[in-house]
């Protein structure tokens, strides 16, 4: 079972980071193994290049002195040149093919991580989405995708180079053990300096990244709420806040982290400098004494570059690796969040009491340490009935409705839909029976046609138009220059509130649901528009079990049963007329307060 852990507070461990990388990389095992084999071939070939180059220069020196260094009919220098060319052709060909496969792997991995991130988010329960800053999660997925890709590419590139070091040391020892020892000592000194300087870098990197993420989220939220900012004439406030936090607090933390890498850069240059200086001083003596040849000196210098090249790259890449591990571990915490169990064991896809809903002693709270929002709530709804939930804000009306769709499950008691406990339902089958017309309709930035048929993707154009007519929006659509292919804009911004409501109603009609949930669908409408919406809703409600969440009590007069919710339980129930007859009743008090008259 997936582990539910906090995704923000604790620093990311190395284990979390590597586990996160492995989650996404393991699908590319064959490609990585192929790249590993190619890397070994490249390492061997590149390891022999300085050796052959040195021998080639020795042969040229002998040739320049009039000597013959040919062990066969071909000149020795030519044999070495052919060997050098052959090695380079193999090395360059392998490196070219490796680069091609790396680019394929990087592209596929990066887009794959992003795709799987969005797929995972879609399958997480509403409890996650209600608690998290989703835009921040999007940013985390994007950052982790390219950082993990960079880690994989860096490791694939550096690993063959590190293998070349082993080959190079072996060949360097065969030339001169003292110079080979100087090279090895320089490598060890650099590794020790790197480990000391990078101690604690993971923590400072985590703190800097967390601060950046938080301030980024704040700035993004201000931009997302631009209309509210402008309405409050708060541009100056937000601009100053963004500059102070991003260019002040975050800059200080980030720059402190960068200074640490500046010290790493300085010490690696010092180490390389003194190692090469030592080699050159000793080599000058050895060449003068005839202990080594000029060609062997060239070879050793080539090995010096070969040794420090990947180590310097590793030093430069360490920050990238550390950031990538942090990002991948942070993303791994999201992937460890439990997805909805859409298909529980022995899941039911249909029930015997079609259209019925029953709450039996239901208690519910969102968090373990939170007090109950619903407390021993019980009621029964027969097929085709219209049930209205009324009560002050925060008494649990929306929470009760969310239990019907299986978005949440009771912490006590049971909810039965069609006679089956919601915990035993196949969630896809359950939710396919339900349509919702919410108070705030969020449409996709697509055509009116696409928004109406969303969830009923195989609906014909004729069905879409019939649904639009029933929702009293067909005439409006026909007046648009592109008709049903008119784009509605981000979240339906090009449509009025009433027009968006009617699109939602048309969508619900097309779904032909068994259950209908109306969440204050007319609360933000003018009187004329409300009349259109009410007519459309009345047609939609016929023959369907309907739940209405209402604050405006004028919208619930025709309900078969009104449930007055107080403190998470049913305080009163009955028809509109029955409840008004109770002089000191809660419903009558609310009705007087909200409407101000009754018969």
């Amino acid at each position: 079972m997936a582990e539910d852990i906090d995704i923000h507070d604790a620093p990311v461990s190395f284990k979390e980071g590597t586990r996160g990388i492995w989650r996404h990389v393991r699908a590319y095992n064959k490609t990585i193994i192929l790249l590993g084999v190619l890397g070994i071939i490249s390492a061997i070939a590149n390891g022999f290049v300085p050796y052959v180059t040195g021998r080639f220069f020795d042969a040229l020196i002998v040739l320049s002195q009039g000597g013959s260094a040919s062990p066969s009919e071909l000149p020795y220098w030519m044999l070495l040149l052919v060997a050098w060319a052959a090695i380079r052709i193999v090395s360059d060909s392998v490196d070219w093919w490796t680069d091609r496969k790396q680019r394929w792997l990087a592209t596929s991995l990066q887009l794959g991580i992003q795709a799987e991130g969005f797929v995972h988010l879609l399958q997480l329960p509403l409890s996650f989405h209600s608690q998290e800053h989703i835009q921040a999660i999007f940013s985390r997925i994007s950052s982790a995708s390219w950082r993990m890709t960079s880690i994989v590419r860096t490791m694939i590139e550096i690993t063959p180079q590190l293998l070349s070091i082993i080959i190079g040391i072996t060949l360097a020892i065969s030339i001169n053990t003292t110079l080979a020892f100087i090279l090895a000592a320089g490598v060890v000194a650099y590794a020790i300096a790197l480990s000391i300087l990078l101690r604690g870098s993971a923590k400072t990197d985590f703190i800097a990244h967390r601060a950046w993420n938080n301030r980024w989220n704040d700035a993004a939220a201000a931009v997302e709420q631009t209309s509210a900012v402008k309405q409050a004439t708060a541009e100056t406030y937000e601009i100053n806040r963004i500059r102070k936090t991003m260019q002040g607090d975050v800059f200080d933390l980030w720059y402190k982290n960068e200074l640490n890498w500046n010290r790493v850069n300085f010490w690696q240059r010092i180490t390389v400098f003194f190692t090469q200086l030592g080699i050159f001083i000793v080599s000058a003596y050895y060449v003068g004494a005839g202990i080594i040849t000029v060609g062997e000196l060239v070879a050793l210098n080539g090995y010096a570059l070969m040794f420090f090249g990947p180590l310097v790259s590793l030093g430069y890449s360490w920050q990238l690796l550390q950031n990538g591990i942090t990002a991948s571990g942070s993303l791994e915490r999201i992937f460890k969040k439990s997805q909805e169990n859409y298909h529980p064991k022995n899941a039911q896809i249909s029930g015997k009491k079609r259209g019925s809903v029953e709450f039996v002693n239901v208690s519910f709270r969102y968090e373990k340490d939170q007090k109950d929002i619903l407390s021993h709530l019980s009621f029964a709804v027969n097929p085709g009935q219209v049930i209205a939930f009324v009560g002050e804000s925060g008494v649990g009306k929306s929470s009760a409705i969310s239990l019907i769709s299986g978005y949440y499950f009771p912490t006590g008691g049971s909810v039965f839909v069609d006679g089956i406990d919601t915990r035993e339902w196949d969630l896809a089958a359950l939710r396919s029976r339900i349509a919702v017309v919410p108070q705030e309709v969020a449409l996709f930035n697509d055509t009116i046609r696409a928004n109406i048929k969303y969830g009923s993707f195989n609906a014909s154009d004729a069905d879409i138009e019939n649904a639009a007519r029933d929702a009293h929006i067909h005439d409006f659509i026909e007046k648009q220059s592109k008709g049903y292919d008119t784009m509605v804009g981000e979240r339906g911004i090009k449509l009025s509130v009433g027009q968006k409501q009617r699109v939602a109603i048309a969508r619900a009609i097309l779904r032909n649901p068994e259950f209908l949930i109306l969440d204050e669908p007319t609360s933000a409408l003018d009187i004329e528009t409300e009349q259109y919406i009410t007519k459309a809703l009345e047609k939609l409600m016929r023959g369907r079990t309907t739940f209405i969440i209402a604050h405006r009590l004028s919208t619930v007069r025709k309900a078969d049963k009104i449930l007055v919710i107080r403190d998470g339980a049913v305080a009163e129930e009955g028809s509109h007329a029955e409840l008004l007859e109770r002089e000191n009743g809660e419903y009558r008090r609310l009705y007087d307060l909200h409407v101000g008259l009754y018969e």
Side-chain angles (χ1 to χ4, degrees):
M1 184 175 177
E3 176 186 358
D4 285 325
I5 58 176
D6 188 274
I7 66 174
H8 300 292
D9 294 336
V12 172
S13 67
F14 180 80
K15 183 178 180 181
E16 279 184 301
T18 52
R19 186 188 298 147
I21 295 171
W22 175 243
R23 174 189 293 274
H24 301 282
V25 167
R26 61 189 175 191
Y28 301 93
N29 278 345
K30 293 182 180 179
T31 300
I32 293 174
I33 291 172
L34 173 61
L35 289 171
V37 172
L38 294 174
I40 292 173
I41 296 173
S42 175
I44 294 172
N46 287 318
F48 275 96
V49 168
Y51 184 85
V52 175
T53 301
R55 297 302 181 191
F56 173 72
F57 276 105
D58 279 341
L60 290 182
I61 291 171
V62 171
L63 181 65
S64 69
Q65 295 173 349
S68 175
S70 176
S72 61
E73 294 181 1
L74 287 175
Y76 187 36
W77 65 268
M78 187 174 291
L79 288 174
L80 290 170
L81 183 60
V82 170
W84 176 86
I87 292 172
R88 286 300 304 271
I89 289 172
V90 171
S91 174
D92 291 347
S93 298
V94 169
D95 289 346
W96 169 79
W97 184 250
T98 299
D99 181 68
R100 181 170 178 165
K101 293 299 291 183
Q102 280 180 1
R103 292 180 186 277
W104 176 88
L105 174 61
T107 304
S108 180
L109 181 61
Q110 183 169 359
L111 295 179
I113 292 171
Q114 293 176 10
E116 289 308 310
F118 286 116
V119 167
H120 183 69
L121 288 178
L122 282 171
Q123 297 178 86
L124 289 178
L126 282 182
S127 57
F128 176 88
H129 291 267
S130 63
Q131 295 169 4
E132 297 297 331
H133 189 307
I134 297 301
Q135 288 294 336
I137 300 297
F138 293 161
S139 176
R140 186 176 299 188
I141 292 172
S142 176
S143 175
S145 69
W146 68 262
R147 288 185 186 278
M148 276 195 266
T149 300
S150 297
I151 284 180
V152 173
R153 291 193 67 169
T154 299
M155 295 308 297
I156 290 174
E157 290 170 358
I158 289 181
T159 301
Q161 297 177 33
L162 295 175
L163 181 58
S164 295
I165 292 177
I166 299 174
I167 298 170
I169 286 178
T170 302
L171 294 175
I173 291 173
S174 70
I175 295 173
N176 186 276
T177 54
T178 302
L179 293 175
F181 174 78
I182 294 174
L183 283 172
V187 170
V188 172
Y190 176 75
I192 293 173
L194 199 64
S195 64
I196 293 173
L197 290 170
L198 293 179
R199 187 178 300 160
S201 64
K203 183 178 180 179
T204 57
D205 180 77
F206 174 80
I207 293 172
H209 269 84
R210 183 172 62 182
W212 174 78
N213 276 324
N214 291 338
R215 300 293 80 78
W216 172 279
N217 296 339
D218 292 342
V223 175
E224 289 175 353
Q225 301 293 333
T226 300
S227 59
V229 172
K230 291 184 180 295
Q231 194 173 43
T233 62
E235 290 95 334
T236 301
Y237 168 80
E238 292 294 348
I239 289 169
N240 291 337
R241 185 169 68 95
I242 290 170
R243 285 176 175 165
K244 180 181 182 299
T245 55
M246 295 290 284
Q247 296 178 299
D249 302 339
V250 174
F251 171 82
D252 292 340
L253 288 170
W254 203 278
Y255 184 59
K256 180 181 178 181
N257 201 35
E258 290 297 323
L259 284 178
N260 191 43
W261 292 106
N262 175 260
R263 288 190 289 270
V264 171
N265 181 46
F266 172 77
W267 281 107
Q268 71 184 15
R269 289 177 181 273
I270 289 295
T271 305
V272 172
F273 170 76
F274 279 109
T275 302
Q276 287 188 316
L277 180 63
I279 289 174
F280 288 152
I281 292 173
V282 176
S283 296
Y285 169 76
Y286 280 176
V287 170
I291 298 174
I292 63 171
T293 65
V294 173
E296 289 173 333
L297 175 60
V298 170
L300 284 167
N301 187 57
Y303 285 126
L305 295 175
M306 179 181 292
F307 291 170
F308 284 104
L311 289 176
V312 169
S313 296
L314 184 60
Y316 284 129
S317 301
W318 192 261
Q319 185 176 16
L320 181 149
L321 296 173
Q322 185 62 63
N323 292 348
I325 288 173
T326 299
S328 62
S330 181
L331 182 60
E332 175 66 6
R333 291 178 178 180
I334 297 174
F335 273 97
K336 292 289 286 184
K337 285 290 182 179
S338 302
Q339 294 182 350
E340 284 193 286
N341 185 10
Y342 289 93
H343 312 290
K345 186 177 181 181
N346 301 320
Q348 303 296 309
I349 60 173
S350 64
K352 297 179 180 178
K353 302 178 181 178
R354 294 185 66 85
S356 66
V357 172
E358 185 177 7
F359 277 54
V360 179
N361 203 28
V362 169
S363 296
F364 174 71
R365 59 181 178 271
Y366 289 99
E367 301 290 341
K368 291 181 179 178
D369 56 352
Q370 183 185 47
K371 76 172 189 176
D372 285 344
I373 295 172
L374 301 178
S375 179
H376 306 289
L377 178 65
S378 297
F379 63 87
V381 180
N382 296 322
Q385 278 191 314
V386 177
I387 306 299
F389 286 80
V390 301
E392 298 290 359
S393 297
V395 296
K397 302 186 298 295
S398 296
S399 298
I401 291 297
S402 68
L403 298 180
I404 298 173
S405 298
Y407 295 130
Y408 301 93
F409 298 101
T411 51
S414 298
V415 176
F416 295 91
V417 177
D418 286 355
I420 298 173
D421 193 314
T422 52
R423 300 181 185 90
E424 300 175 3
W425 266 99
D426 180 285
L427 292 182
L430 172 62
R431 293 171 188 172
S432 68
R433 288 167 159 74
I434 302 170
V436 180
V437 180
Q439 180 179 0
E440 296 182 9
V441 179
L443 303 181
F444 294 94
N445 186 17
D446 207 332
T447 64
I448 294 176
R449 184 193 315 278
N451 275 285
I452 291 176
K453 70 184 291 187
Y454 193 80
S456 303
F457 301 106
N458 296 323
S460 67
D461 288 346
D463 290 336
I464 293 170
E465 291 187 16
N466 288 334
R469 285 191 178 91
D470 289 342
H472 295 278
I473 196 173
H474 174 74
D475 292 342
F476 162 77
I477 297 172
E478 287 293 288
K479 291 177 183 177
Q480 306 305 304
S481 60
K482 294 185 179 180
Y484 281 83
D485 293 321
T486 300
M487 298 292 291
V488 303
E490 191 70 29
R491 299 181 67 85
I493 194 171
K494 295 181 180 180
L495 303 181
S496 70
V497 174
Q499 289 159 356
K500 288 194 288 187
Q501 287 284 8
R502 280 178 273 181
V503 169
I505 292 171
R507 180 189 291 172
I509 292 171
L510 198 61
R511 194 174 180 84
N512 191 26
E514 183 177 314
F515 301 93
L516 181 64
I517 295 173
L518 306 178
D519 187 356
E520 281 289 358
T522 63
S523 62
L525 304 177
D526 58 75
I527 295 176
E528 184 177 357
T529 304
E530 182 177 356
Q531 290 178 349
Y532 282 113
I533 299 295
T534 301
K535 290 179 182 178
L537 289 175
E538 287 177 353
K539 186 168 185 177
L540 175 59
M541 291 162 59
R542 289 175 194 161
R544 294 186 171 93
T545 304
T546 303
F547 296 89
I548 303 174
I549 301 175
H551 290 94
R552 289 169 62 169
L553 302 188
S554 58
T555 63
V556 303
R557 293 184 180 187
K558 297 181 181 180
D560 297 310
K561 182 188 297 184
I562 298 171
L563 301 178
V564 181
I565 307 298
R566 183 174 58 196
D567 297 329
V570 176
E572 299 173 4
E573 66 175 279
S575 67
H576 173 72
E578 290 170 346
L579 292 175
L580 283 183
E581 290 177 357
R582 302 183 184 182
E583 279 194 28
N584 297 318
E586 177 71 8
Y587 182 80
R588 178 165 175 171
R589 184 185 71 82
L590 292 172
Y591 191 79
D592 286 343
L593 181 64
H594 290 277
V595 180
L597 50 90
Y598 62 94
E599 295 179 1

